[in-house]
Amino acid sequence: TQLLEQSPQFLSIQEGENLTVYCNSSSVFSSLQWYRQEPGEGPVLLVTVVTGGEVKKLKRLTFQFGDARKDSSLHITAAQPGDTGLYLCAGFDRGSTLGRLYFGRGTQLTVWP
Amino acid sequence: EADIYQTPRYLVIGTGKKITLECSQTMGHDKMYWYQQDPGMELHLIHYSYGVNSTEKGDLSSESTVSRIRTEHFPLTLESARPSHTSQYLCASSPPGPLYGYTFGSGTRLTVV
């Protein structure tokens, strides 16, 4: 059973366009994290959002955590080829004994010059 | 510089061979994890550790084993490699709690022929 659904699975856009990717779940999470992974490398943490309704900005990237702490979105303004990568969302489940992250399948973003 | 290291980066090995994937971190984190990643699929947790002499199996049924004799070292061993073990293996570590992200290694790409 997939806990976190990410959409779209693939996104191919031109440089300068805006985009939004989504991460949805029926479960409530203590926090939600976004990672970016480039080919041949491990995921790298971009942001952690904790409070329902929270919005965080990281240069051209805007992250939002849903009010109910079940979903999140990532918006990129004026995308650049350097934004190309696999974007993964991960929810932290404090209810489990491990207190662990569950990952979505990711959105593969390609930005063409 | 605090980091997490995985070796080898790439490995091609014959069926039936015993292999050990190495993972070391310099951040003093108690929590460490092994994930398996296949294209288009979510990261699957295969083993985790809370600290020295503490190891547990994750979600994905795995024929691998792990050990945690030292805080910084968390090797994964496959006693008898099979083609179904072909995958990307990612090691990660983290501080405790939902506010902290995982630091991932660059991964080991394993191919069993």
Side-chain angles (χ1 to χ4, degrees):
Chain A
T1 303
Q2 190 181 350
L3 236 60
L4 287 160
E5 301 258 358
Q6 288 191 244
S7 62
Q9 187 177 357
F10 298 97
L11 190 55
S12 183
I13 61 171
Q14 292 293 129
E15 183 175 4
E17 292 183 22
N18 301 331
L19 67 112
T20 302
V21 299
Y22 300 93
C23 175
N24 296 299
S25 176
S26 57
S27 301
V28 176
F29 293 104
S30 303
S31 67
L32 202 136
Q33 300 176 0
W34 286 91
Y35 292 78
R36 185 172 79 196
Q37 184 177 21
E38 298 186 13
E41 298 296 329
V44 175
L45 178 69
L46 296 174
V47 78
T48 300
V49 285
V50 180
T51 307
E54 181 176 2
V55 176
K56 276 193 176 178
K57 292 193 174 184
L58 190 68
K59 297 184 180 178
R60 294 176 294 102
L61 278 60
T62 302
F63 304 86
Q64 186 161 5
F65 200 12
D67 291 340
R69 289 187 288 127
K70 292 183 179 181
D71 53 84
S72 180
S73 64
L74 159 59
H75 181 80
I76 302 179
T77 303
Q80 298 176 0
D83 296 325
T84 293
L86 179 67
Y87 288 81
L88 296 163
C89 69
F92 191 94
D93 176 19
R94 64 181 169 189
S96 67
T97 52
L98 173 62
R100 53 168 288 186
L101 284 180
Y102 289 89
F103 286 84
R105 293 185 178 183
T107 292
Q108 180 62 54
L109 171 65
T110 303
V111 182
W112 300 99
Chain B
E1 181 180 318
D3 213 334
I4 184 163
Y5 307 94
Q6 288 187 246
T7 57
R9 288 293 305 273
Y10 303 93
L11 181 61
V12 181
I13 200 163
T15 298
K17 298 291 186 183
K18 177 180 178 179
I19 57 170
T20 296
L21 308 184
E22 300 288 347
C23 176
S24 294
Q25 51 102 357
T26 60
M27 295 166 283
H29 291 162
D30 285 329
K31 288 190 170 184
M32 295 190 74
Y33 318 84
W34 276 103
Y35 282 89
Q36 189 171 335
Q37 185 180 31
D38 294 304
M41 302 297 292
E42 59 265 44
L43 273 69
H44 287 292
L45 182 67
I46 48 177
H47 293 283
Y48 60 92
S49 170
Y50 282 123
V52 172
N53 294 325
S54 153
T55 62
E56 299 288 343
K57 286 186 180 290
D59 304 324
L60 194 64
S61 174
S62 173
E63 292 149 351
S64 58
T65 58
V66 291
S67 63
R68 191 88 182 275
I69 298 171
R70 303 195 314 269
T71 298
E72 61 270 23
H73 195 213
F74 191 41
L76 181 144
T77 297
L78 275 168
E79 290 294 331
S80 180
R82 296 211 303 264
S84 60
H85 295 138
T86 294
S87 188
Q88 168 91 337
Y89 291 84
L90 290 166
C91 180
S93 71
S94 74
L99 299 181
Y100 302 98
Y102 290 7
T103 301
F104 284 88
S106 296
T108 294
R109 167 62 65 183
L110 173 66
T111 303
V112 184
V113 298

